Amino acid sequence: MSRYLIFILAYCLGAIPFAYLAGSYKGIDVRRHGSGNIGTTNAFRLLGVKLGIMVLLGDFLKGALSAFLGLWAFGPWGGIIGGLLAMAGHSWNPLFGFRPSGKGVAAGFGIITVLMPKVTLIAISVFVLVVWITRYVSMGSVTGALTVLIMVFVFPQPFAYRVFAVVAVFAVLVLHRSNFKRVLQGTEHKFGTKK
């Protein structure tokens, strides 16, 4: 029974709002500025590079640790359940009324780094390339996620990891709907520019 507490821990880890905490340190409520998300991109935009990097590491590590604990306790299926719970805790945070509060991309990269490191290298390369070309972090996130979905079927992977890729990528696409609209309208914030 005690092993199942890992899944509760994974959800709680995912719910740690690193961007909100970092913003509070500077007297900024990240939910009320920028995109309003408690994710890494909004942290970089509002809080600067140093705190942005700390938020990135925090979000990455909570995904990685959740997947690792689930994998250690229950194998591949445990890894993806732990990872998905961390993403759910981040993206629909219980501390903020379960409203959509983050896109879960940094946590997602932490998860696949533990479960599928080869796929991670390819996905991050695609992410960086797309952001460099378009300067849209949202487009880099979406194409990086879609790359994961493709690569899990290109490389031999446990069935559990393929299930994770389908579910996680679907969630990323749904959570980026507003970004798609802003890109089409030409109002999406570009990386490296000030609002």
PDB file of all heavy atoms in Angstrom, residues 133-163:
ATOM      1  N   ILE A 133      13.819  29.772 -35.200  1.00  0.00           N
ATOM      2  CA  ILE A 133      13.300  30.232 -36.494  1.00  0.00           C
ATOM      3  C   ILE A 133      12.092  31.153 -36.315  1.00  0.00           C
ATOM      4  O   ILE A 133      12.019  32.232 -36.928  1.00  0.00           O
ATOM      5  CB  ILE A 133      12.911  29.031 -37.386  1.00  0.00           C
ATOM      6  CG1 ILE A 133      14.162  28.250 -37.784  1.00  0.00           C
ATOM      7  CG2 ILE A 133      12.169  29.504 -38.641  1.00  0.00           C
ATOM      8  CD1 ILE A 133      13.867  26.944 -38.495  1.00  0.00           C
ATOM      9  N   THR A 134      11.139  30.742 -35.477  1.00  0.00           N
ATOM     10  CA  THR A 134       9.877  31.482 -35.367  1.00  0.00           C
ATOM     11  C   THR A 134       9.854  32.493 -34.229  1.00  0.00           C
ATOM     12  O   THR A 134       9.058  33.430 -34.254  1.00  0.00           O
ATOM     13  CB  THR A 134       8.702  30.521 -35.165  1.00  0.00           C
ATOM     14  OG1 THR A 134       8.815  29.898 -33.866  1.00  0.00           O
ATOM     15  CG2 THR A 134       8.682  29.442 -36.243  1.00  0.00           C
ATOM     16  N   ARG A 135      10.691  32.239 -33.201  1.00  0.00           N
ATOM     17  CA  ARG A 135      10.711  33.020 -31.961  1.00  0.00           C
ATOM     18  C   ARG A 135       9.429  32.853 -31.154  1.00  0.00           C
ATOM     19  O   ARG A 135       9.158  33.641 -30.261  1.00  0.00           O
ATOM     20  CB  ARG A 135      11.001  34.497 -32.256  1.00  0.00           C
ATOM     21  CG  ARG A 135      12.413  34.702 -32.811  1.00  0.00           C
ATOM     22  CD  ARG A 135      12.612  36.086 -33.365  1.00  0.00           C
ATOM     23  NE  ARG A 135      12.585  37.088 -32.315  1.00  0.00           N
ATOM     24  CZ  ARG A 135      12.526  38.400 -32.566  1.00  0.00           C
ATOM     25  NH1 ARG A 135      12.484  38.844 -33.798  1.00  0.00           N
ATOM     26  NH2 ARG A 135      12.520  39.258 -31.583  1.00  0.00           N
ATOM     27  N   TYR A 136       8.670  31.824 -31.471  1.00  0.00           N
ATOM     28  CA  TYR A 136       7.477  31.480 -30.696  1.00  0.00           C
ATOM     29  C   TYR A 136       7.786  30.262 -29.830  1.00  0.00           C
ATOM     30  O   TYR A 136       7.950  29.149 -30.350  1.00  0.00           O
ATOM     31  CB  TYR A 136       6.298  31.150 -31.607  1.00  0.00           C
ATOM     32  CG  TYR A 136       5.689  32.329 -32.338  1.00  0.00           C
ATOM     33  CD1 TYR A 136       5.475  32.274 -33.719  1.00  0.00           C
ATOM     34  CD2 TYR A 136       5.311  33.480 -31.656  1.00  0.00           C
ATOM     35  CE1 TYR A 136       4.909  33.346 -34.388  1.00  0.00           C
ATOM     36  CE2 TYR A 136       4.744  34.560 -32.320  1.00  0.00           C
ATOM     37  CZ  TYR A 136       4.541  34.489 -33.689  1.00  0.00           C
ATOM     38  OH  TYR A 136       3.971  35.542 -34.350  1.00  0.00           O
ATOM     39  N   VAL A 137       7.830  30.445 -28.515  1.00  0.00           N
ATOM     40  CA  VAL A 137       8.057  29.315 -27.614  1.00  0.00           C
ATOM     41  C   VAL A 137       6.895  28.328 -27.706  1.00  0.00           C
ATOM     42  O   VAL A 137       7.089  27.110 -27.644  1.00  0.00           O
ATOM     43  CB  VAL A 137       8.235  29.805 -26.163  1.00  0.00           C
ATOM     44  CG1 VAL A 137       8.325  28.617 -25.200  1.00  0.00           C
ATOM     45  CG2 VAL A 137       9.484  30.661 -26.046  1.00  0.00           C
ATOM     46  N   SER A 138       5.694  28.851 -27.877  1.00  0.00           N
ATOM     47  CA  SER A 138       4.529  27.974 -27.965  1.00  0.00           C
ATOM     48  C   SER A 138       4.632  27.022 -29.148  1.00  0.00           C
ATOM     49  O   SER A 138       4.307  25.830 -29.037  1.00  0.00           O
ATOM     50  CB  SER A 138       3.248  28.806 -28.069  1.00  0.00           C
ATOM     51  OG  SER A 138       3.293  29.678 -29.191  1.00  0.00           O
ATOM     52  N   MET A 139       5.097  27.532 -30.284  1.00  0.00           N
ATOM     53  CA  MET A 139       5.231  26.680 -31.462  1.00  0.00           C
ATOM     54  C   MET A 139       6.359  25.665 -31.269  1.00  0.00           C
ATOM     55  O   MET A 139       6.262  24.520 -31.716  1.00  0.00           O
ATOM     56  CB  MET A 139       5.481  27.526 -32.709  1.00  0.00           C
ATOM     57  CG  MET A 139       4.300  28.385 -33.124  1.00  0.00           C
ATOM     58  SD  MET A 139       2.798  27.422 -33.505  1.00  0.00           S
ATOM     59  CE  MET A 139       1.875  27.554 -31.969  1.00  0.00           C
ATOM     60  N   GLY A 140       7.421  26.075 -30.602  1.00  0.00           N
ATOM     61  CA  GLY A 140       8.490  25.131 -30.287  1.00  0.00           C
ATOM     62  C   GLY A 140       7.998  24.031 -29.363  1.00  0.00           C
ATOM     63  O   GLY A 140       8.341  22.859 -29.540  1.00  0.00           O
ATOM     64  N   SER A 141       7.169  24.408 -28.389  1.00  0.00           N
ATOM     65  CA  SER A 141       6.629  23.427 -27.447  1.00  0.00           C
ATOM     66  C   SER A 141       5.737  22.412 -28.148  1.00  0.00           C
ATOM     67  O   SER A 141       5.824  21.205 -27.905  1.00  0.00           O
ATOM     68  CB  SER A 141       5.835  24.141 -26.353  1.00  0.00           C
ATOM     69  OG  SER A 141       6.660  25.035 -25.629  1.00  0.00           O
ATOM     70  N   VAL A 142       4.871  22.911 -29.026  1.00  0.00           N
ATOM     71  CA  VAL A 142       3.944  22.029 -29.728  1.00  0.00           C
ATOM     72  C   VAL A 142       4.679  21.101 -30.686  1.00  0.00           C
ATOM     73  O   VAL A 142       4.419  19.887 -30.727  1.00  0.00           O
ATOM     74  CB  VAL A 142       2.881  22.852 -30.481  1.00  0.00           C
ATOM     75  CG1 VAL A 142       2.082  21.979 -31.435  1.00  0.00           C
ATOM     76  CG2 VAL A 142       1.954  23.540 -29.483  1.00  0.00           C
ATOM     77  N   THR A 143       5.621  21.646 -31.465  1.00  0.00           N
ATOM     78  CA  THR A 143       6.356  20.787 -32.399  1.00  0.00           C
ATOM     79  C   THR A 143       7.269  19.813 -31.664  1.00  0.00           C
ATOM     80  O   THR A 143       7.449  18.672 -32.101  1.00  0.00           O
ATOM     81  CB  THR A 143       7.187  21.626 -33.389  1.00  0.00           C
ATOM     82  OG1 THR A 143       8.015  22.546 -32.657  1.00  0.00           O
ATOM     83  CG2 THR A 143       6.296  22.397 -34.345  1.00  0.00           C
ATOM     84  N   GLY A 144       7.809  20.240 -30.527  1.00  0.00           N
ATOM     85  CA  GLY A 144       8.602  19.321 -29.715  1.00  0.00           C
ATOM     86  C   GLY A 144       7.759  18.174 -29.201  1.00  0.00           C
ATOM     87  O   GLY A 144       8.181  17.017 -29.217  1.00  0.00           O
ATOM     88  N   ALA A 145       6.535  18.495 -28.751  1.00  0.00           N
ATOM     89  CA  ALA A 145       5.625  17.450 -28.265  1.00  0.00           C
ATOM     90  C   ALA A 145       5.227  16.500 -29.391  1.00  0.00           C
ATOM     91  O   ALA A 145       5.196  15.274 -29.201  1.00  0.00           O
ATOM     92  CB  ALA A 145       4.384  18.097 -27.651  1.00  0.00           C
ATOM     93  N   LEU A 146       4.924  17.056 -30.565  1.00  0.00           N
ATOM     94  CA  LEU A 146       4.567  16.205 -31.698  1.00  0.00           C
ATOM     95  C   LEU A 146       5.737  15.324 -32.124  1.00  0.00           C
ATOM     96  O   LEU A 146       5.540  14.182 -32.564  1.00  0.00           O
ATOM     97  CB  LEU A 146       4.102  17.066 -32.874  1.00  0.00           C
ATOM     98  CG  LEU A 146       2.748  17.759 -32.681  1.00  0.00           C
ATOM     99  CD1 LEU A 146       2.488  18.731 -33.815  1.00  0.00           C
ATOM    100  CD2 LEU A 146       1.617  16.736 -32.592  1.00  0.00           C
ATOM    101  N   THR A 147       6.954  15.836 -31.968  1.00  0.00           N
ATOM    102  CA  THR A 147       8.144  15.038 -32.272  1.00  0.00           C
ATOM    103  C   THR A 147       8.222  13.830 -31.343  1.00  0.00           C
ATOM    104  O   THR A 147       8.560  12.722 -31.775  1.00  0.00           O
ATOM    105  CB  THR A 147       9.413  15.896 -32.128  1.00  0.00           C
ATOM    106  OG1 THR A 147       9.345  16.992 -33.043  1.00  0.00           O
ATOM    107  CG2 THR A 147      10.663  15.067 -32.414  1.00  0.00           C
ATOM    108  N   VAL A 148       7.907  14.045 -30.068  1.00  0.00           N
ATOM    109  CA  VAL A 148       7.879  12.926 -29.121  1.00  0.00           C
ATOM    110  C   VAL A 148       6.890  11.872 -29.588  1.00  0.00           C
ATOM    111  O   VAL A 148       7.183  10.664 -29.598  1.00  0.00           O
ATOM    112  CB  VAL A 148       7.510  13.421 -27.706  1.00  0.00           C
ATOM    113  CG1 VAL A 148       7.284  12.228 -26.770  1.00  0.00           C
ATOM    114  CG2 VAL A 148       8.581  14.336 -27.151  1.00  0.00           C
ATOM    115  N   LEU A 149       5.704  12.330 -29.990  1.00  0.00           N
ATOM    116  CA  LEU A 149       4.664  11.391 -30.429  1.00  0.00           C
ATOM    117  C   LEU A 149       5.131  10.564 -31.625  1.00  0.00           C
ATOM    118  O   LEU A 149       4.871   9.356 -31.702  1.00  0.00           O
ATOM    119  CB  LEU A 149       3.401  12.169 -30.794  1.00  0.00           C
ATOM    120  CG  LEU A 149       2.197  11.341 -31.241  1.00  0.00           C
ATOM    121  CD1 LEU A 149       1.784  10.353 -30.162  1.00  0.00           C
ATOM    122  CD2 LEU A 149       1.038  12.245 -31.621  1.00  0.00           C
ATOM    123  N   ILE A 150       5.826  11.197 -32.550  1.00  0.00           N
ATOM    124  CA  ILE A 150       6.316  10.473 -33.736  1.00  0.00           C
ATOM    125  C   ILE A 150       7.438   9.509 -33.355  1.00  0.00           C
ATOM    126  O   ILE A 150       7.461   8.340 -33.768  1.00  0.00           O
ATOM    127  CB  ILE A 150       6.800  11.471 -34.806  1.00  0.00           C
ATOM    128  CG1 ILE A 150       5.613  12.287 -35.341  1.00  0.00           C
ATOM    129  CG2 ILE A 150       7.500  10.745 -35.952  1.00  0.00           C
ATOM    130  CD1 ILE A 150       6.016  13.471 -36.191  1.00  0.00           C
ATOM    131  N   MET A 151       8.379  10.004 -32.541  1.00  0.00           N
ATOM    132  CA  MET A 151       9.576   9.216 -32.229  1.00  0.00           C
ATOM    133  C   MET A 151       9.283   7.968 -31.397  1.00  0.00           C
ATOM    134  O   MET A 151       9.999   6.973 -31.506  1.00  0.00           O
ATOM    135  CB  MET A 151      10.600  10.088 -31.491  1.00  0.00           C
ATOM    136  CG  MET A 151      11.261  11.157 -32.353  1.00  0.00           C
ATOM    137  SD  MET A 151      12.203  10.458 -33.745  1.00  0.00           S
ATOM    138  CE  MET A 151      11.104  10.826 -35.108  1.00  0.00           C
ATOM    139  N   VAL A 152       8.208   8.002 -30.578  1.00  0.00           N
ATOM    140  CA  VAL A 152       7.920   6.799 -29.777  1.00  0.00           C
ATOM    141  C   VAL A 152       7.448   5.649 -30.653  1.00  0.00           C
ATOM    142  O   VAL A 152       7.467   4.487 -30.219  1.00  0.00           O
ATOM    143  CB  VAL A 152       6.873   7.071 -28.672  1.00  0.00           C
ATOM    144  CG1 VAL A 152       7.398   8.017 -27.637  1.00  0.00           C
ATOM    145  CG2 VAL A 152       5.547   7.543 -29.252  1.00  0.00           C
ATOM    146  N   PHE A 153       7.023   5.985 -31.876  1.00  0.00           N
ATOM    147  CA  PHE A 153       6.636   4.921 -32.806  1.00  0.00           C
ATOM    148  C   PHE A 153       7.750   4.600 -33.803  1.00  0.00           C
ATOM    149  O   PHE A 153       7.700   3.568 -34.476  1.00  0.00           O
ATOM    150  CB  PHE A 153       5.355   5.315 -33.552  1.00  0.00           C
ATOM    151  CG  PHE A 153       4.140   5.330 -32.670  1.00  0.00           C
ATOM    152  CD1 PHE A 153       3.692   6.505 -32.101  1.00  0.00           C
ATOM    153  CD2 PHE A 153       3.470   4.153 -32.381  1.00  0.00           C
ATOM    154  CE1 PHE A 153       2.582   6.525 -31.279  1.00  0.00           C
ATOM    155  CE2 PHE A 153       2.347   4.152 -31.556  1.00  0.00           C
ATOM    156  CZ  PHE A 153       1.904   5.350 -30.995  1.00  0.00           C
ATOM    157  N   VAL A 154       8.749   5.482 -33.872  1.00  0.00           N
ATOM    158  CA  VAL A 154       9.912   5.217 -34.729  1.00  0.00           C
ATOM    159  C   VAL A 154      10.885   4.291 -34.008  1.00  0.00           C
ATOM    160  O   VAL A 154      11.391   3.312 -34.584  1.00  0.00           O
ATOM    161  CB  VAL A 154      10.606   6.530 -35.124  1.00  0.00           C
ATOM    162  CG1 VAL A 154      11.936   6.244 -35.831  1.00  0.00           C
ATOM    163  CG2 VAL A 154       9.697   7.365 -36.030  1.00  0.00           C
ATOM    164  N   PHE A 155      11.160   4.594 -32.737  1.00  0.00           N
ATOM    165  CA  PHE A 155      12.078   3.781 -31.945  1.00  0.00           C
ATOM    166  C   PHE A 155      11.295   2.720 -31.170  1.00  0.00           C
ATOM    167  O   PHE A 155      10.140   2.960 -30.795  1.00  0.00           O
ATOM    168  CB  PHE A 155      12.856   4.647 -30.953  1.00  0.00           C
ATOM    169  CG  PHE A 155      13.750   5.661 -31.598  1.00  0.00           C
ATOM    170  CD1 PHE A 155      13.517   7.021 -31.435  1.00  0.00           C
ATOM    171  CD2 PHE A 155      14.836   5.267 -32.368  1.00  0.00           C
ATOM    172  CE1 PHE A 155      14.340   7.955 -32.016  1.00  0.00           C
ATOM    173  CE2 PHE A 155      15.670   6.198 -32.955  1.00  0.00           C
ATOM    174  CZ  PHE A 155      15.417   7.545 -32.783  1.00  0.00           C
ATOM    175  N   PRO A 156      11.911   1.581 -30.903  1.00  0.00           N
ATOM    176  CA  PRO A 156      11.246   0.578 -30.054  1.00  0.00           C
ATOM    177  C   PRO A 156      11.041   1.131 -28.646  1.00  0.00           C
ATOM    178  O   PRO A 156      12.002   1.552 -27.994  1.00  0.00           O
ATOM    179  CB  PRO A 156      12.239  -0.595 -30.047  1.00  0.00           C
ATOM    180  CG  PRO A 156      13.118  -0.376 -31.236  1.00  0.00           C
ATOM    181  CD  PRO A 156      13.224   1.106 -31.410  1.00  0.00           C
ATOM    182  N   GLN A 157       9.799   1.178 -28.208  1.00  0.00           N
ATOM    183  CA  GLN A 157       9.464   1.698 -26.882  1.00  0.00           C
ATOM    184  C   GLN A 157       8.390   0.821 -26.264  1.00  0.00           C
ATOM    185  O   GLN A 157       7.568   0.225 -26.977  1.00  0.00           O
ATOM    186  CB  GLN A 157       8.935   3.145 -26.988  1.00  0.00           C
ATOM    187  CG  GLN A 157       9.903   4.155 -27.541  1.00  0.00           C
ATOM    188  CD  GLN A 157      11.062   4.450 -26.601  1.00  0.00           C
ATOM    189  OE1 GLN A 157      11.021   4.106 -25.411  1.00  0.00           O
ATOM    190  NE2 GLN A 157      12.104   5.067 -27.132  1.00  0.00           N
ATOM    191  N   PRO A 158       8.368   0.724 -24.937  1.00  0.00           N
ATOM    192  CA  PRO A 158       7.276  -0.008 -24.284  1.00  0.00           C
ATOM    193  C   PRO A 158       5.924   0.593 -24.661  1.00  0.00           C
ATOM    194  O   PRO A 158       5.813   1.809 -24.873  1.00  0.00           O
ATOM    195  CB  PRO A 158       7.567   0.178 -22.783  1.00  0.00           C
ATOM    196  CG  PRO A 158       9.025   0.482 -22.712  1.00  0.00           C
ATOM    197  CD  PRO A 158       9.351   1.242 -23.961  1.00  0.00           C
ATOM    198  N   PHE A 159       4.905  -0.235 -24.733  1.00  0.00           N
ATOM    199  CA  PHE A 159       3.562   0.235 -25.074  1.00  0.00           C
ATOM    200  C   PHE A 159       3.105   1.337 -24.126  1.00  0.00           C
ATOM    201  O   PHE A 159       2.440   2.299 -24.537  1.00  0.00           O
ATOM    202  CB  PHE A 159       2.580  -0.939 -25.033  1.00  0.00           C
ATOM    203  CG  PHE A 159       1.163  -0.553 -25.312  1.00  0.00           C
ATOM    204  CD1 PHE A 159       0.767  -0.149 -26.579  1.00  0.00           C
ATOM    205  CD2 PHE A 159       0.218  -0.583 -24.290  1.00  0.00           C
ATOM    206  CE1 PHE A 159      -0.551   0.217 -26.838  1.00  0.00           C
ATOM    207  CE2 PHE A 159      -1.097  -0.221 -24.538  1.00  0.00           C
ATOM    208  CZ  PHE A 159      -1.481   0.174 -25.812  1.00  0.00           C
ATOM    209  N   ALA A 160       3.490   1.218 -22.857  1.00  0.00           N
ATOM    210  CA  ALA A 160       3.111   2.225 -21.863  1.00  0.00           C
ATOM    211  C   ALA A 160       3.614   3.609 -22.250  1.00  0.00           C
ATOM    212  O   ALA A 160       2.914   4.613 -22.075  1.00  0.00           O
ATOM    213  CB  ALA A 160       3.656   1.841 -20.488  1.00  0.00           C
ATOM    214  N   TYR A 161       4.827   3.698 -22.788  1.00  0.00           N
ATOM    215  CA  TYR A 161       5.396   4.988 -23.158  1.00  0.00           C
ATOM    216  C   TYR A 161       4.661   5.581 -24.350  1.00  0.00           C
ATOM    217  O   TYR A 161       4.522   6.803 -24.483  1.00  0.00           O
ATOM    218  CB  TYR A 161       6.877   4.858 -23.459  1.00  0.00           C
ATOM    219  CG  TYR A 161       7.728   4.465 -22.264  1.00  0.00           C
ATOM    220  CD1 TYR A 161       9.094   4.218 -22.395  1.00  0.00           C
ATOM    221  CD2 TYR A 161       7.166   4.328 -20.990  1.00  0.00           C
ATOM    222  CE1 TYR A 161       9.870   3.860 -21.313  1.00  0.00           C
ATOM    223  CE2 TYR A 161       7.929   3.968 -19.907  1.00  0.00           C
ATOM    224  CZ  TYR A 161       9.289   3.734 -20.067  1.00  0.00           C
ATOM    225  OH  TYR A 161      10.044   3.376 -18.985  1.00  0.00           O
ATOM    226  N   ARG A 162       4.187   4.729 -25.238  1.00  0.00           N
ATOM    227  CA  ARG A 162       3.415   5.214 -26.384  1.00  0.00           C
ATOM    228  C   ARG A 162       2.066   5.761 -25.927  1.00  0.00           C
ATOM    229  O   ARG A 162       1.599   6.776 -26.448  1.00  0.00           O
ATOM    230  CB  ARG A 162       3.263   4.098 -27.408  1.00  0.00           C
ATOM    231  CG  ARG A 162       4.589   3.748 -28.069  1.00  0.00           C
ATOM    232  CD  ARG A 162       4.516   2.561 -29.006  1.00  0.00           C
ATOM    233  NE  ARG A 162       5.802   2.367 -29.689  1.00  0.00           N
ATOM    234  CZ  ARG A 162       6.089   1.349 -30.474  1.00  0.00           C
ATOM    235  NH1 ARG A 162       5.179   0.398 -30.682  1.00  0.00           N
ATOM    236  NH2 ARG A 162       7.275   1.257 -31.043  1.00  0.00           N
ATOM    237  N   VAL A 163       1.481   5.103 -24.945  1.00  0.00           N
ATOM    238  CA  VAL A 163       0.228   5.611 -24.375  1.00  0.00           C
ATOM    239  C   VAL A 163       0.477   6.978 -23.749  1.00  0.00           C
ATOM    240  O   VAL A 163      -0.303   7.923 -23.944  1.00  0.00           O
ATOM    241  CB  VAL A 163      -0.331   4.630 -23.330  1.00  0.00           C
ATOM    242  CG1 VAL A 163      -1.507   5.261 -22.571  1.00  0.00           C
ATOM    243  CG2 VAL A 163      -0.765   3.326 -23.992  1.00  0.00           C
TER     244      VAL A 163
END
